[in-house]
C-alpha cells in the first residue's frame, strides 16, 4: 500500500485505521494479561508481589526460594523410564545435570532452621539438545489445591489481621493436612538426607504412543537423621549450604529417581492430594551430585527452573500449577536479571 502513492487518500487512511485497530487490540491484550482491565484476575505480578517479605525483596535474587546453592553432576538413566516416555533422558546413559538446593522463603536473611520447606531445582540436558527442568520440594503434598488459593495464602500469612489465617483455613480446608505435616514431620540436618517430590502431575508418552499421568520423586541414598529445630538453630543461619558443600567434597551424593503412575481415578489437577502409596512406581535412574558452588558465580544462577520446560515425550497435565509457576518464575527472572548490579558476580567471568 505504501509502495503505491497513486492510490486514493481514503485508501491510505483506511490502512492506517487497520493498523491502529491491530495495535490497539494488542495493547488491550497486553493490558488484560497485566491485569489492568481485570483487577481481580490473578496475574504473575500479583503472585510475585505477594511473595515479598516485609523488608522488601532481595534485589538481584529470586523472589521465592531466595536462599540456595548450586550443584553440578550427572543423571544416570537405567533405561526403565522408556516404558513411560520416549524422552532421551530415560534412555540408558549419563546426562549432565545442573541444579540448586534451596529454601522456600522470600527472606534472604531467614535462618535455615526457621524454614520448613526445602527444595531442589534440576535441569538435565541430553545430546538431542533438549532439557528437562523440574522444581521439587520435600513435603509429600502441596499446601493448597489451586494457584488462587496459594495467592490467598500468601496474603493471609502477611496480613496484620490476627484472624486472617483462621479465615483462610476455613475457606481452604486442604491446608490443614499441610499444617499437620509441617508440625509433625521430622527435620534433617542436610539436603542430602531429604526426599524431594514434584507434587505436580505431568503426562508421559512412550514410543508406542501410550500415555501415563505421573509424578516423580528423588529419594536420598543418605540415611535421614532426625534433628530438632532447636538443635538445628545452634548450627548457624546458613548451615545447610555449609553442610552440603562439605559433604559433597567428601564424596558425591545420590538420589534415586522414582516415577509414580496415577490410576484413572487419582486426582491429577490437585497437588494437595497425595496418591495412594500402592501406585505403580518405576525407578528410572540416579541423580549424582558431584560439585557444589555458591550461587553468586555458580552455574545455576541464571537458570529458570521452569517446570514447563520439558523434552519430547513429556507434557503438562490438567494440573494448573505448572503454568502458574512458569509465569511467576518468568516474572521473577525478569526482575532479578534487571537488578544484576545489586547482586554482582565476583569471579573472572563477572559481567559488567
Amino acid at each position: 500500500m505504501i509502495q503505491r502513492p497513486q492510490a486514493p487518500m481514503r485508501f491510505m487512511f483506511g490502512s492506517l485505521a487497520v493498523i491502529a485497530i491491530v495495535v490497539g487490540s494488542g495493547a488491550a491484550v497486553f493490558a488484560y494479561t497485566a491485569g489492568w482491565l481485570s483487577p481481580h484476575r490473578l496475574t504473575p505480578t500479583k503472585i510475585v508481589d505477594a511473595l515479598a517479605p516485609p523488608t522488601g525483596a532481595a534485589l538481584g535474587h529470586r523472589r521465592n526460594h531466595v536462599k540456595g546453592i548450586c550443584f553440578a553432576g550427572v543423571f544416570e538413566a537405567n533405561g526403565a523410564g522408556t516404558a513411560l516416555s520416549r524422552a532421551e533422558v530415560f534412555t540408558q546413559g549419563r546426562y549432565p545435570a545442573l541444579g540448586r538446593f534451596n529454601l522456600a522463603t522470600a527472606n534472604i536473611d531467614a535462618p535455615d532452621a526457621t524454614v520448613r520447606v526445602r527444595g531442589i531445582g534440576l535441569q538435565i540436558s541430553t545430546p538431542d539438545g533438549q532439557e528437562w527442568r523440574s522444581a521439587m520440594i520435600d513435603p509429600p503434598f502441596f499446601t493448597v489445591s489451586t494457584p488462587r488459593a496459594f495467592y490467598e495464602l500468601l496474603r493471609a500469612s502477611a496480613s496484620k489481621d490476627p484472624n486472617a489465617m483462621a479465615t483462610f483455613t476455613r475457606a481452604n480446608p486442604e491446608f490443614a493436612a499441610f499444617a499437620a505435616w509441617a508440625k509433625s514431620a521430622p527435620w534433617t540436618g542436610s539436603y542430602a538426607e531429604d526426599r524431594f517430590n514434584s507434587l505436580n502431575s505431568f503426562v508421559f508418552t512412550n514410543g508406542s504412543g501410550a500415555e501415563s499421568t505421573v509424578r516423580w520423586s528423588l529419594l536420598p541414598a543418605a540415611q535421614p537423621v532426625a534433628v530438632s529445630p532447636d538443635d538445628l538453630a545452634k548450627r548457624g543461619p546458613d548451615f545447610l549450604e555449609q553442610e552440603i558443600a562439605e559433604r559433597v567434597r567428601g564424596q558425591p551424593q545420590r538420589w534415586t529417581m522414582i516415577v509414580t503412575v496415577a490410576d484413572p481415578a487419582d486426582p491429577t489437577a490437585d497437588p494437595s492430594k497425595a496418591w495412594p502409596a500402592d501406585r505403580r512406581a518405576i525407578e528410572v535412574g540416579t541423580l549424582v551430585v558431584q560439585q557444589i558452588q555458591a550461587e553468586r558465580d555458580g552455574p545455576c544462577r541464571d537458570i529458570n527452573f521452569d517446570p514447563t520446560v520439558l523434552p519430547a515425550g513429556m507434557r503438562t497435565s490438567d494440573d494448573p500449577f505448572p503454568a502458574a509457576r512458569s509465569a511467576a518464575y518468568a516474572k521473577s527472572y525478569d526482575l532479578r536479571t534487571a537488578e544484576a548490579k545489586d547482586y554482582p558476580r565476583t569471579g573472572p567471568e563477572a559481567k559488567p
Side-chain angles (χ1 to χ4, degrees):
M1 292 178 289
I2 296 176
Q3 290 114 350
R4 299 178 62 184
Q6 71 275 18
M9 289 298 290
R10 66 177 178 273
F11 184 78
M12 188 186 339
F13 291 149
S15 299
L16 292 175
V18 170
I19 293 172
I21 291 171
V22 171
V23 172
S25 298
V29 170
F30 180 81
Y32 175 76
T33 301
W36 301 339
L37 301 184
S38 48
H40 300 294
R41 181 170 175 265
L42 183 60
T43 65
T45 298
K46 286 183 177 180
I47 293 176
V48 170
D49 287 348
L51 286 165
T55 54
L59 300 182
H61 294 263
R62 298 169 198 264
R63 288 324 198 239
N64 196 17
H65 294 256
V66 64
K67 295 187 70 174
I69 192 166
C70 299
F71 68 78
V74 295
F75 178 67
E76 299 175 340
N78 59 21
T82 58
L84 297 174
S85 173
R86 66 177 185 273
E88 187 176 4
V89 70
F90 292 130
T91 301
Q92 186 171 8
R94 290 165 56 90
Y95 306 102
L98 292 174
R100 181 177 182 266
F101 296 110
N102 56 78
L103 293 175
T105 178
N107 181 4
I108 199 167
D109 297 317
D112 291 358
T114 66
V115 183
R116 191 63 184 96
V117 175
R118 300 172 184 172
I120 183 173
L122 178 63
Q123 173 185 284
I124 305 172
S125 304
T126 49
D128 61 0
Q130 299 192 64
E131 294 178 349
W132 179 16
R133 299 187 192 181
S134 180
M136 295 163 270
I137 54 178
D138 59 341
F141 36 71
F142 197 56
T143 51
V144 290
S145 59
T146 67
R148 168 64 69 176
F150 180 66
Y151 172 67
E152 296 299 338
L153 171 60
L154 295 175
R155 294 184 64 195
S157 61
S159 175
K160 296 180 180 180
D161 179 357
N163 299 315
M165 282 304 300
T167 300
F168 170 82
T169 302
R170 284 194 297 271
N172 301 274
E174 72 273 19
F175 180 72
F178 176 83
W181 172 86
K183 183 178 180 179
S184 63
W187 297 63
T188 73
S190 175
Y191 286 123
E193 298 174 11
D194 291 331
R195 169 178 175 151
F196 300 102
N197 307 295
S198 73
L199 301 187
N200 297 127
S201 302
F202 295 82
V203 177
F204 283 6
T205 306
N206 66 17
S208 300
E211 294 189 342
S212 303
T213 303
V214 305
R215 294 172 176 170
W216 54 82
S217 299
L218 291 172
L219 280 60
Q223 181 66 35
V225 177
V227 185
S228 73
D230 288 341
D231 287 340
L232 291 178
K234 298 174 184 177
R235 301 185 183 187
D238 306 307
F239 73 88
L240 283 170
E241 293 187 7
Q242 298 162 4
E243 195 280 341
I244 193 64
E246 181 178 351
R247 189 180 287 231
V248 172
R249 275 196 298 269
Q251 63 178 359
Q253 297 299 301
R254 297 173 176 267
W255 286 257
T256 299
M257 180 175 282
I258 302 292
V259 175
T260 301
V261 182
D263 276 5
D266 288 336
T268 57
D270 183 354
S272 72
K273 300 293 189 295
W275 294 344
D278 62 356
R279 292 297 178 257
R280 178 189 178 198
I282 299 177
E283 181 179 322
V284 299
T286 303
L287 172 64
V288 185
V289 172
Q290 301 167 319
Q291 183 181 2
I292 298 292
Q293 186 175 352
E295 181 188 64
R296 182 182 291 268
D297 296 313
C300 73
R301 171 173 172 148
D302 292 331
I303 297 179
N304 201 16
F305 293 103
D306 183 337
T308 66
V309 176
L310 302 165
M314 302 183 193
R315 63 177 174 83
T316 55
S317 69
D318 57 349
D319 187 332
F321 273 96
R325 290 167 59 194
S326 176
Y329 290 4
K331 179 64 178 179
S332 171
Y333 181 84
D334 289 345
L335 290 170
R336 75 175 193 265
T337 52
E339 301 159 351
K341 67 181 185 302
D342 296 294
Y343 186 34
R345 299 172 188 270
T346 61
E349 298 181 357
K351 299 179 181 179

